[in-house]
Amino acid sequence: MIEKKITVKDPNGLHTRPAKQLVDTARQFSSDITLVKGEREGNAKNLIKLMKLGITCGSEITVRCSGDDEQEAGDAVLKIISEMTD
C-alpha cells in the first residue's frame, strides 16, 4: 500500500468536473484507491463518495492505493489533483 499527501490548490476545490475525471481515471486501475480528508474517506471510483468529502481549496488529502498497480494508480490520481484548475 502507498499513501501520498497533497494539498488541493484549485480555488473551487474538487468540484464535479475534475471529480468525474478523477473517477474515470481511477476506474482504469485494478487497485483500491481511496481519498482521505481528515477523519473521512471515500472510494476514488465513486463520484458521490468523493463529492461527500467536501474537498475545498487548501484541503490536505491523502491518496491511498493498494493493489497490483498501486504506484501507477497513485501517480495518475495525484497528477489530476495537482493539475486541477478552474
Side-chain angles (χ1 to χ4, degrees):
M1 176 169 57
I2 62 163
E3 286 190 358
K4 296 184 180 179
K5 293 185 186 273
I6 188 168
T7 301
V8 175
K9 296 183 179 171
D10 187 322
N12 295 312
L14 186 65
H15 57 93
T16 309
R17 191 175 341 110
K20 170 83 167 83
Q21 182 183 8
L22 196 151
V23 168
D24 290 344
T25 299
R27 287 180 178 168
Q28 296 174 13
F29 298 95
S30 63
S31 292
D32 293 327
I33 307 167
T34 304
L35 297 188
V36 181
K37 178 188 173 202
E39 299 294 318
R40 301 171 69 187
E41 58 183 63
N43 182 340
K45 298 179 183 182
N46 185 312
L47 183 62
I48 301 299
K49 301 224 182 213
L50 285 187
M51 298 306 292
K52 284 185 174 183
L53 291 176
I55 297 171
T56 58
C57 183
S59 294
E60 182 178 82
I61 58 174
T62 301
V63 177
R64 185 180 299 150
C65 300
S66 177
D68 292 337
D69 53 3
E70 62 190 29
Q71 187 64 51
E72 295 85 3
D75 290 345
V77 169
L78 288 167
K79 183 175 188 234
I80 289 171
I81 295 169
S82 68
E83 293 177 351
M84 285 184 346
T85 58
D86 184 16

